[in-house]
Amino acid sequence: MVKVVILGSGNVGYHLSKIFLSSNNVDLIQVYSRNIHTIEFLKDKVSITDNINSLLNADIYIIAISDGSIVEFSKSLPHLNKLVVHTSGSISIDAINSENKGVLYPLQTFSKNKEIDFKNIPLCIETSNEKSLVLLQELASAISDQVFLINSEQRAKIHLAAVFVNNFVNHLYEIGQQICKANEIPFEILHPLIKETSEKIMTCSPKNAQTGPAKRNDQETIKKQLKQLNMDDAKVYETLTQSILKIYS
Amino acid sequence: MVKVVILGSGNVGYHLSKIFLSSNNVDLIQVYSRNIHTIEFLKDKVSITDNINSLLNADIYIIAISDGSIVEFSKSLPHLNKLVVHTSGSISIDAINSENKGVLYPLQTFSKNKEIDFKNIPLCIETSNEKSLVLLQELASAISDQVFLINSEQRAKIHLAAVFVNNFVNHLYEIGQQICKANEIPFEILHPLIKETSEKIMTCSPKNAQTGPAKRNDQETIKKQLKQLNMDDAKVYETLTQSILKIYS
């Protein structure tokens, strides 16, 4: 059974600790956080610590902290002589200050208050050597049915694409909700459309699924809609309309 | 039973004719298209015509054609003396050249090759008089469980919001797919993330669901990602990042 220590208490660390604790093939032996109170809820189930120098002896140490802190944190680790991985989409494997290093990137958006079905989350894995790859693959396969070997360059591109289809998409939902709110329309009226739009591209390419005023180059509607928007949202509308027009005109 | 004639053979007309034919409470008596071959597949089930002067006598005539053609087409109709409605989100009820007029706007994206569960599609209805409202409500309720009384002004706002959460969102999927394609990554790897992103906002506001480099004001990642994009996609990235920064900073 793979012995694991999680370093960090953010959304990814939280969900990994939960799934590892529920797995029969993973032995989560310790969770570290510099703020011990953020992991106190785990203390009956696993060893917790805020002392980086009292880490237990594991097979894999998983750094699950913010992207910008990985390099510095990795340097602050004692010499572990075991596989050390991070969980970031945009950071290279070389950010880790260890010969035996890797990446375990779960391609999903996490919030603490929403349950996640890990089995269906794509896990992108990478290691600095073959032996560690077998070990990391064993860990990844224990929690997910979708494990992909992805190098740092590809991972950066996946993360970039994810910013478009997740972060930016969610922001468009936010703008849609603001428009509804300002006009006393329940946002729920848009839920079926949002659902259908996201489901459609599972069976049909986004290019074939595209509809709307920009796709049709319907300048009359475009002008009418631009007039109804505040300056910031009009800029988003205009940029995306131009981008669509370039593809279909 | 409400007697209906559909005028038009686009995606909306196609799906309406299918659902009306399968409903026990609606009597679709005729479909008109100026190109008769586009509706020939219906000829065994319903009267079809390409002659605007041989329309049958119905309770409701539904104009399901492109937004820009509604005014002109409505003028070309013979005097019907019955309720005439269009199905557009962005066009006012007054575009219809008839005293007895209305709107039946299905808030959904349609493609001919994808089945639609009409029961869950919000139908926004509006009429020029009370009596017709009862009639249109009867028709709408026969095919959907979600019928909303929405005036032309609100409908324009809903359509505007729909452009953001449907057309623009789909375009971001398209950019995501292009990035994957260029780097030999299967787009399917992003499907679970797309699904989760769209489902999350059904239970949590988009504002609370927002994550990513822009939300965190992570300038290092933003700069790194901008460098990886072509000029057009970089503009989309920059505009949306600025828009997110304004909300969260």
Side-chain angles (χ1 to χ4, degrees):
Chain A
M1 195 144 59
V2 191
K3 283 203 283 187
V4 176
V5 169
I6 292 177
L7 309 159
S9 61
N11 286 337
V12 174
Y14 172 82
H15 282 285
L16 281 178
S17 65
K18 275 189 71 176
I19 187 73
F20 288 155
L21 284 170
S22 73
S23 166
N24 295 325
N25 300 309
V26 181
D27 187 10
L28 178 65
I29 57 168
Q30 191 179 37
V31 177
Y32 158 89
S33 171
R34 59 182 174 178
N35 304 313
I36 195 83
H37 71 272
T38 60
I39 49 174
E40 248 157 16
F41 69 98
L42 288 167
K43 72 176 175 213
D44 295 336
K45 294 168 186 161
V46 64
S47 157
I48 62 170
T49 182
D50 58 0
N51 182 351
I52 201 71
N53 292 308
S54 53
L55 296 181
L56 299 179
N57 191 25
D59 301 310
I60 306 181
Y61 294 83
I62 301 177
I63 302 175
I65 63 176
S66 62
D67 291 5
S69 312
I70 293 171
V71 168
E72 201 180 346
F73 178 77
S74 150
K75 278 185 200 152
S76 77
L77 284 175
H79 188 64
L80 296 162
N81 205 20
K82 292 291 173 62
L83 177 60
V84 181
V85 306
H86 71 61
T87 59
S88 164
S90 66
I91 302 291
S92 163
I93 187 174
D94 296 322
I96 293 171
N97 183 36
S98 160
E99 285 223 346
N100 193 355
K101 58 197 168 190
V103 180
L104 173 73
Y105 170 48
L107 185 42
Q108 189 49 279
T109 173
F110 297 97
S111 353
K112 280 196 178 155
N113 54 1
K114 191 166 183 308
E115 286 299 307
I116 287 283
D117 175 18
F118 244 95
K119 279 278 159 225
N120 295 315
I121 295 183
L123 295 181
C124 304
I125 63 171
E126 176 183 12
T127 57
S128 54
N129 67 67
E130 275 295 319
K131 205 180 144 199
S132 293
L133 188 60
V134 176
L135 184 66
L136 191 55
Q137 195 144 25
E138 187 187 335
L139 177 68
S141 305
I143 57 172
S144 169
D145 291 335
Q146 294 196 55
V147 180
F148 296 84
L149 302 191
I150 298 282
N151 65 37
S152 285
E153 206 178 318
Q154 282 178 310
R155 187 161 34 78
K157 301 297 185 186
I158 291 174
H159 184 247
L160 179 62
V163 167
F164 280 89
V165 305
N166 167 23
N167 305 151
F168 290 165
V169 160
N170 184 73
H171 183 56
L172 296 180
Y173 295 155
E174 162 75 7
I175 294 175
Q177 185 177 43
Q178 290 307 325
I179 293 169
C180 286
K181 215 182 218 171
N183 296 282
E184 290 172 2
I185 299 154
F187 181 53
E188 288 67 28
I189 205 172
L190 290 172
H191 282 183
L193 179 63
I194 287 171
K195 186 166 181 279
E196 176 69 14
T197 304
S198 67
E199 284 175 358
K200 205 183 231 182
I201 53 104
M202 310 284 167
T203 53
C204 156
S205 80
K207 196 164 180 182
N208 288 334
Q210 190 66 51
T211 56
K215 158 84 186 286
R216 299 191 304 270
N217 195 6
D218 175 354
Q219 288 295 334
E220 202 174 321
T221 302
I222 291 169
K223 273 180 210 150
K224 211 161 63 178
Q225 296 203 317
L226 272 171
K227 271 190 215 154
Q228 298 177 63
L229 292 164
N230 66 41
M231 222 176 63
D232 291 337
D233 293 344
K235 195 164 176 209
V236 172
Y237 187 105
E238 210 155 17
T239 303
L240 286 165
T241 294
Q242 286 305 322
S243 181
I244 295 171
L245 279 170
K246 274 203 178 145
I247 291 186
Y248 297 93
S249 67
Chain B
M1 194 142 62
V2 191
K3 284 202 281 186
V4 176
V5 169
I6 292 177
L7 310 160
S9 61
N11 285 338
V12 174
Y14 172 82
H15 283 284
L16 282 178
S17 65
K18 275 189 71 174
I19 186 74
F20 288 155
L21 285 171
S22 74
S23 166
N24 295 326
N25 301 308
V26 181
D27 187 12
L28 179 66
I29 57 169
Q30 191 179 36
V31 177
Y32 158 89
S33 171
R34 60 182 174 179
N35 304 315
I36 195 81
H37 71 272
T38 60
I39 49 174
E40 248 158 15
F41 69 98
L42 288 167
K43 71 176 177 216
D44 295 336
K45 294 169 186 160
V46 64
S47 156
I48 61 171
T49 182
D50 57 0
N51 182 350
I52 202 69
N53 292 308
S54 54
L55 296 182
L56 299 179
N57 191 24
D59 302 308
I60 306 181
Y61 294 83
I62 301 176
I63 303 175
I65 63 176
S66 62
D67 291 4
S69 311
I70 293 172
V71 168
E72 203 182 344
F73 178 77
S74 152
K75 279 186 200 149
S76 77
L77 283 175
H79 188 65
L80 296 163
N81 204 22
K82 292 292 174 62
L83 177 60
V84 181
V85 306
H86 71 63
T87 60
S88 164
S90 66
I91 301 292
S92 163
I93 187 174
D94 296 321
I96 294 171
N97 183 37
S98 160
E99 286 222 348
N100 194 355
K101 57 198 168 188
V103 180
L104 173 74
Y105 170 49
L107 184 42
Q108 190 48 282
T109 173
F110 296 97
S111 352
K112 280 198 178 154
N113 54 0
K114 190 167 184 304
E115 285 299 308
I116 286 282
D117 174 18
F118 244 95
K119 280 277 159 227
N120 294 315
I121 295 184
L123 295 181
C124 304
I125 63 170
E126 177 184 9
T127 58
S128 54
N129 68 67
E130 276 295 318
K131 206 180 143 197
S132 293
L133 188 60
V134 175
L135 184 67
L136 191 56
Q137 196 145 26
E138 187 188 335
L139 177 68
S141 305
I143 57 171
S144 169
D145 291 335
Q146 294 196 55
V147 180
F148 297 83
L149 302 191
I150 298 282
N151 64 38
S152 286
E153 206 177 317
Q154 283 179 309
R155 187 161 33 78
K157 301 296 186 185
I158 292 174
H159 184 248
L160 179 62
V163 167
F164 280 89
V165 305
N166 167 24
N167 305 151
F168 290 166
V169 160
N170 185 74
H171 182 57
L172 296 181
Y173 295 155
E174 162 75 7
I175 294 177
Q177 186 177 44
Q178 289 308 325
I179 293 170
C180 287
K181 213 181 218 171
N183 296 281
E184 291 173 1
I185 299 154
F187 181 52
E188 287 67 28
I189 205 173
L190 290 172
H191 283 185
L193 179 63
I194 287 169
K195 186 166 181 282
E196 175 70 13
T197 304
S198 67
E199 285 175 358
K200 205 184 232 182
I201 54 102
M202 310 285 168
T203 54
C204 155
S205 79
K207 195 162 180 184
N208 287 333
Q210 190 65 52
T211 56
K215 158 85 186 288
R216 297 191 306 270
N217 194 7
D218 175 355
Q219 288 296 334
E220 202 174 323
T221 302
I222 292 169
K223 273 180 208 151
K224 210 160 65 178
Q225 296 203 316
L226 273 171
K227 271 190 213 154
Q228 297 175 65
L229 292 165
N230 65 42
M231 222 176 61
D232 291 336
D233 294 345
K235 196 165 175 210
V236 172
Y237 187 104
E238 212 155 15
T239 302
L240 286 165
T241 294
Q242 287 304 323
S243 180
I244 294 172
L245 278 172
K246 274 202 181 145
I247 291 187
Y248 297 92
S249 66

